[in-house]
Amino acid sequence: MSVELISVLIAVVAVGATLAGLILTGQRAIRAELSEQRRELTAQRKEFGERFTSLEQQIAELRERMAHLEGLLDGLREAIAIRQGAA
């Protein structure tokens, strides 16, 4: 083997090793970013779930209050109808 061939083979191996290192480093960074995004997404899902539950409770409370007001209005309507009938 000539010196030129050996130097070219060494250069090719060095370039290959460098590229492999860069690829592995890039993949590690991408994995870390994906992991962080998964954690953030999980936290957001939990927060939205809690907010949704809170909204459901508030809507249920409003329904009860509306039903109470409806009952009061029905009673008022009956009281007015009885007074008009008696008059």
Side-chain angles (χ1 to χ4, degrees), residues 47-77:
E47 180 184 348
F48 285 135
E50 291 170 355
R51 290 172 119 185
F52 189 72
T53 301
S54 174
L55 285 173
E56 286 177 329
Q57 290 173 348
Q58 290 175 3
I59 289 172
E61 290 173 8
L62 286 173
R63 271 193 213 124
E64 289 177 15
R65 292 168 74 186
M66 286 175 54
H68 178 71
L69 288 173
E70 187 178 3
L72 291 175
L73 288 174
D74 286 343
L76 181 62
R77 189 178 305 125

Side-chain angles (χ1 to χ4, degrees), residues 25-43:
T25 302
Q27 286 179 343
R28 188 178 306 127
I30 289 171
R31 254 190 229 119
E33 287 179 27
L34 283 174
S35 215
E36 178 63 28
Q37 286 185 352
R38 282 185 188 130
R39 282 191 291 272
E40 289 175 3
L41 182 60
T42 302

Side-chain angles (χ1 to χ4, degrees), residues 3-48:
V3 175
E4 291 173 354
L5 181 59
I6 292 173
S7 64
V8 169
L9 288 175
I10 291 173
V12 169
V13 170
V15 168
T18 303
L19 286 175
L22 289 173
I23 289 170
L24 291 175
T25 302
Q27 286 179 343
R28 188 178 306 127
I30 289 171
R31 254 190 229 119
E33 287 179 27
L34 283 174
S35 215
E36 178 63 28
Q37 286 185 352
R38 282 185 188 130
R39 282 191 291 272
E40 289 175 3
L41 182 60
T42 302
Q44 286 177 349
R45 282 183 182 171
K46 183 179 178 184
E47 180 184 348
F48 285 135

